[in-house]
Amino acid sequence: MNLMLQKIENLKRILEKYHREGIEDLLANLHPHEIYLVLKEIPEDKRIKILLKIKKETLIKVLPKFDASTISRFLSILDAKRASEIISLIPPDDRADMLMKISPITRARIMGELEEEVRKETERILRYHPETAGGLM
């Protein structure tokens, strides 16, 4: 087993036990993609709890990689203001992709809290059908 896989397996075992203390320290030295690879292998409930503990700077790089269920559950737990703060820091195309993965109610709640410029940019991207050239960009 290569070093990366060993590292992921060791972290997965630790995170499955999930101790609140030390999660940030444990993940601090990992690349966001490594965090994603580890978290996608543990149960969604624990994954969400850990995502809630990750620093915002790392979270915005990790969260867009997840499936619709994880993104939706994570954002629906947060109050609209906090969710919009996180969403607004994510690059526009990833932001729009994430918002398309969540329920219309949660999407509207978050969109209502975005700053006007970010909201308008996001709405512009969301208007494109995903299969058109504009939607693929």
Side-chain angles (χ1 to χ4, degrees), residues 39-89:
L39 293 183
K40 77 176 186 146
E41 297 298 325
I42 63 174
E44 189 174 60
D45 289 342
K46 287 186 180 187
R47 182 182 318 144
I48 299 294
K49 288 177 184 177
I50 292 166
L51 286 170
L52 289 166
K53 299 300 249 174
I54 294 176
K55 292 180 182 178
K56 189 172 15 178
E57 297 78 23
T58 302
L59 181 63
I60 63 174
K61 296 174 185 171
V62 174
L63 190 60
K65 298 176 182 298
F66 284 101
D67 59 281
S69 176
T70 298
I71 291 170
S72 184
R73 287 192 57 205
F74 178 79
L75 292 174
S76 68
I77 289 171
L78 303 177
D79 63 74
K81 181 100 172 121
R82 176 80 173 127
S84 70
E85 288 171 2
I86 292 167
I87 287 287
S88 68
L89 297 173

Side-chain angles (χ1 to χ4, degrees), residues 72 99-112:
S72 184
L99 288 169
M100 288 304 296
K101 292 179 179 179
I102 63 177
S103 76
I105 293 170
T106 303
R107 184 181 322 125
R109 186 174 59 88
I110 292 169
M111 292 289 287

